């Protein structure tokens, strides 16, 4: 249980990011999408509290507590602006300079080491939801990796961007004899790993 987490308006939060495996073998090709979802707890953080709404960043729980889902979700632009305006970061573009490099580093490690597919699935592609907690010093901790994440509750713009970019990569991959990140326009996705297994 992490006690020293970063808070937004006194609430705990986590980040849902997306990693796309475009090909597993013979060359593993993996992308990161800079669109992510900030999920806030339904209630203000109190280490002595026993309510689930204090610790869990779960939108279904928030709805059961009568809280508008829009109150417990942020898009990247809002997240970046919040910590810029409150003085945590002096750089208005701190996501790109401070947070994204940390996320990419973890995702590269996952891409290299996860058994993302068994051999009979080597030519398939898959989207993963990768969840992080952010500490008060803005280091990150991996919480879990979700295979086939549900996107029903994602903001419409984010959902459309991720799904459209996946379709774009897959269409190009089908047309290529040699699959490599240098031959693919990934849309908003960013290549994070392109190497042999």
């Amino acid at each position: 249980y992490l006690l020293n987490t970063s808070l937004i308006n006194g609430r705990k939060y986590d980040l849902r990011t997306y990693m796309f495996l475009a090909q597993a073998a013979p060359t593993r090709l993996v992308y990161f999408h800079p669109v992510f979802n900030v999920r806030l707890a339904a209630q203000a953080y109190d280490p002595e509290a026993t309510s689930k709404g204090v610790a869990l960043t779960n939108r279904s729980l928030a709805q059961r507590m009568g809280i508008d889902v829009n109150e417990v979700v942020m898009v990247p632009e809002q997240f970046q602006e919040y910590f810029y305006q409150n003085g945590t970061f002096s750089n208005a573009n701190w996501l790109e300079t401070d947070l994204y490099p940390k996320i990419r580093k973890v995702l590269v490690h996952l891409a290299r080491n996860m058994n993302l597919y068994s051999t009979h699935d080597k030519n398939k592609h898959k989207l993963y939801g990768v969840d992080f907690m952010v500490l008060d010093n803005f280091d990150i901790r991996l919480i879990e990796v979700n295979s086939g994440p549900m996107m029903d509750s994602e903001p419409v713009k984010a959902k459309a961007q991720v799904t459209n970019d996946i379709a774009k990569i897959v269409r190009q991959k089908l047309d290529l004899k040699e699959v490599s990140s240098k031959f693919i326009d990934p849309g908003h996705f960013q290549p994070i790993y392109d190497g042999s297994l």
Side-chain angles (χ1 to χ4, degrees):
Y1 189 80
L2 299 172
L3 296 175
N4 59 328
T5 58
S6 170
L7 303 176
I8 294 176
N9 294 324
R11 298 179 183 183
K12 292 185 80 169
Y13 65 90
D14 67 12
L15 308 179
R16 159 59 59 86
T17 66
Y18 292 101
M19 181 174 74
F20 181 59
L21 174 70
Q23 179 173 287
T27 298
R28 182 169 289 183
L29 183 58
V30 185
Y31 293 89
F32 158 66
H33 208 289
V35 163
F36 61 86
N37 197 0
V38 184
R39 305 177 299 188
L40 287 81
Q43 296 172 307
Y45 178 62
D46 177 355
E48 303 300 322
T50 57
S51 170
K52 291 181 180 179
V54 168
L56 299 181
T57 57
N58 184 292
R59 279 171 283 195
S60 296
L61 175 62
Q63 285 178 315
R64 290 197 299 271
M65 296 175 68
I67 297 171
D68 186 343
V69 172
N70 293 320
E71 292 182 29
V72 292
V73 65
M74 279 180 141
V75 296
E77 295 81 6
Q78 294 170 311
F79 180 64
Q80 179 165 256
E81 184 67 12
Y82 177 86
F83 286 105
Y84 174 63
Q85 289 295 335
N86 76 4
T88 302
F89 291 94
S90 58
N91 174 12
N93 192 37
W94 65 268
L95 280 180
E96 191 58 50
T97 58
D98 291 81
L99 190 63
Y100 284 153
K102 295 173 183 177
I103 292 174
R104 287 189 198 101
K105 184 176 180 180
V106 174
L107 296 182
V108 167
H109 180 75
L110 288 174
R112 284 179 168 167
N113 296 289
M114 281 177 62
N115 183 18
L116 297 171
Y117 269 113
S118 60
T119 54
H120 69 276
D121 286 325
K122 65 183 181 181
N123 293 317
K124 293 186 179 178
H125 47 266
K126 195 170 188 69
L127 181 69
Y128 293 86
V130 185
D131 300 340
F132 293 95
M133 291 290 289
V134 181
L135 304 184
D136 53 14
N137 63 358
F138 277 79
D139 280 343
I140 58 173
R141 295 292 182 269
L142 176 66
I143 305 173
E144 64 178 339
V145 180
N146 299 276
S147 174
M150 296 292 291
M151 297 188 72
D152 293 346
S153 55
E154 290 287 359
V156 174
K157 182 180 177 182
K159 181 178 178 180
Q161 195 175 95
V162 172
T163 54
N164 288 342
D165 288 342
I166 288 173
K168 185 176 185 180
I169 292 172
V170 171
R171 280 195 303 269
Q172 292 174 85
K173 199 181 92 168
L174 292 173
D175 293 336
L176 291 172
K177 292 180 181 178
E178 180 185 355
V179 178
S180 168
S181 60
K182 64 185 176 184
F183 298 126
I184 292 178
D185 174 5
H188 297 88
F189 273 104
Q190 302 169 5
I192 57 168
Y193 187 73
D194 184 353
S196 59
L197 298 176

